[in-house]
Amino acid sequence: MELTGVFVPMITPFDACGAVAFDALERLAHEVLDAGATGLVALGTTGEPSALTAGERDGVVAVLSRVCAAHAAPLLGPPDERVSAALTLVPPFVRPGPRGVLAHFTALAATSPVPLVIYHVPPRTGQPLDAVTLRRIGALDRVIGIKYATGALDADVIALLADPPPGFAVLSGDDLFLSPLLALGAAGGILASAHLATDRFAALTRAWQTGDLDAARKLGHELTPLSAALFAEPNPTVIKAVLHARGRIPTPSVRLPLLSATAASRDAALRCLGAAGRRSSPGAPGSAGR
């Protein structure tokens, strides 16, 4: 599979009783794919997987795999025969060093039933990796890309994008850095912000890829404040609050240890959504979503 465009790491909506609202998840998944997302991500951090039961996690993958099959769209997620590729975290906490990380992914790639997309997020794992190590990982058989989320536009990602391994896609994992990484040659992004204004995030990606620089810069400037507002409190609390305010999920609820977003953060994000030029959201009242 080719990794390019916008992948949306899906939230897990809850109903008024606190149960997973699988019907709302299915509608939302159809909406973002209809609006231009390339594919979905199941059970990323945005989906609150650590707060779900094993049965709930299985149900989420079942729903999202069914929706992606209907759209002929790729699904990233945990290692599972139902996903197109496994989004695989750099080993957290143990900090094995670059050589240990390379050995870990070498062994994993040799046994995985699906291709691997590496999730590099050193603020959470405690394990930095330089461009040389990332190229070695990217050159492994069946490693097809990386979600790059270091929290900075750093020298290593610039060096990696200047000389990536063949067939290895760099995806922005920090929503705020999507536009500059696309300008440097990234293939797309895994973007929680793209639950909202999905079509505009997709248009931003296309504009950089096709060389429409004026449109790319304009969209980048419009969408960056929206991403900042959606991450003003721990993810996915503000995103859920905005989706609920737009009538797209039944409640804004999250599960502990997360707490619901404040009204001030929700309202600020809604203002940014309006300022980004979004005339209507797929699935919102009065629109033609599923």
Side-chain angles (χ1 to χ4, degrees):
M1 62 174 288
E2 182 180 3
L3 290 176
T4 186
V6 172
F7 290 77
V8 181
M10 298 299 296
I11 63 150
T12 302
F14 301 119
D15 64 21
C17 296
V20 175
F22 289 108
D23 55 344
L25 175 64
E26 185 165 0
R27 286 195 304 273
L28 188 63
H30 280 297
E31 288 167 9
V32 298
L33 290 172
D34 284 339
T38 297
L40 306 178
V41 180
L43 300 176
T45 306
T46 304
E48 302 174 71
S50 63
L52 304 180
T53 67
E56 288 171 334
R57 291 193 295 270
D58 184 73
V60 166
V61 175
V63 167
L64 296 182
S65 63
R66 182 168 66 247
V67 172
C68 283
H71 289 259
L75 175 64
L76 310 183
D80 188 293
E81 63 184 12
R82 294 169 292 182
V83 304
S84 307
L87 185 61
T88 309
L89 190 65
V90 171
F93 299 110
V94 293
R95 300 175 68 182
R99 290 176 58 245
V101 173
L102 177 60
H104 169 78
F105 284 123
T106 300
L108 196 60
T111 59
S112 174
V114 294
L116 303 182
V117 177
I118 308 306
Y119 185 9
H120 181 39
V121 56
R124 294 180 187 266
T125 65
Q127 178 62 72
L129 297 171
D130 60 19
V132 172
T133 302
L134 293 173
R135 282 197 198 94
R136 289 172 177 163
I137 294 170
L140 294 173
D141 186 37
R142 309 198 76 211
V143 172
I144 62 172
I146 187 169
K147 177 182 178 181
Y148 197 90
T150 64
L153 188 62
D154 54 48
D156 287 310
V157 74
I158 294 171
L160 178 62
L161 285 165
D163 184 24
F168 181 73
V170 177
L171 301 175
S172 175
D174 291 310
D175 298 31
L176 289 175
F177 299 129
L178 173 65
S179 192
L181 284 181
L182 288 168
L184 290 167
I190 296 177
L191 310 168
S193 301
H195 281 86
L196 289 310
T198 312
D199 59 342
R200 297 182 74 77
F201 280 102
L204 169 62
T205 304
R206 287 194 303 273
W208 279 118
Q209 291 172 342
T210 60
D212 189 349
L213 302 187
D214 289 340
R217 293 184 183 116
K218 180 175 185 294
L219 285 163
H221 289 310
E222 289 176 353
L223 291 170
T224 299
L226 174 61
S227 291
L230 292 171
F231 280 83
E233 296 187 34
N235 183 46
T237 61
V238 182
I239 291 171
K240 281 190 160 185
V242 173
L243 288 171
H244 175 62
R246 297 301 294 263
R248 296 176 66 192
I249 58 175
T251 75
S253 298
V254 291
R255 288 182 179 172
L256 290 172
L258 295 175
L259 299 175
S260 294
T262 62
S265 291
R266 177 201 63 205
D267 293 346
L270 283 166
R271 288 192 295 272
C272 287
L273 181 60
R278 190 82 174 113
R279 291 185 294 273
S280 66
S281 292
S287 72
R290 292 175 186 255

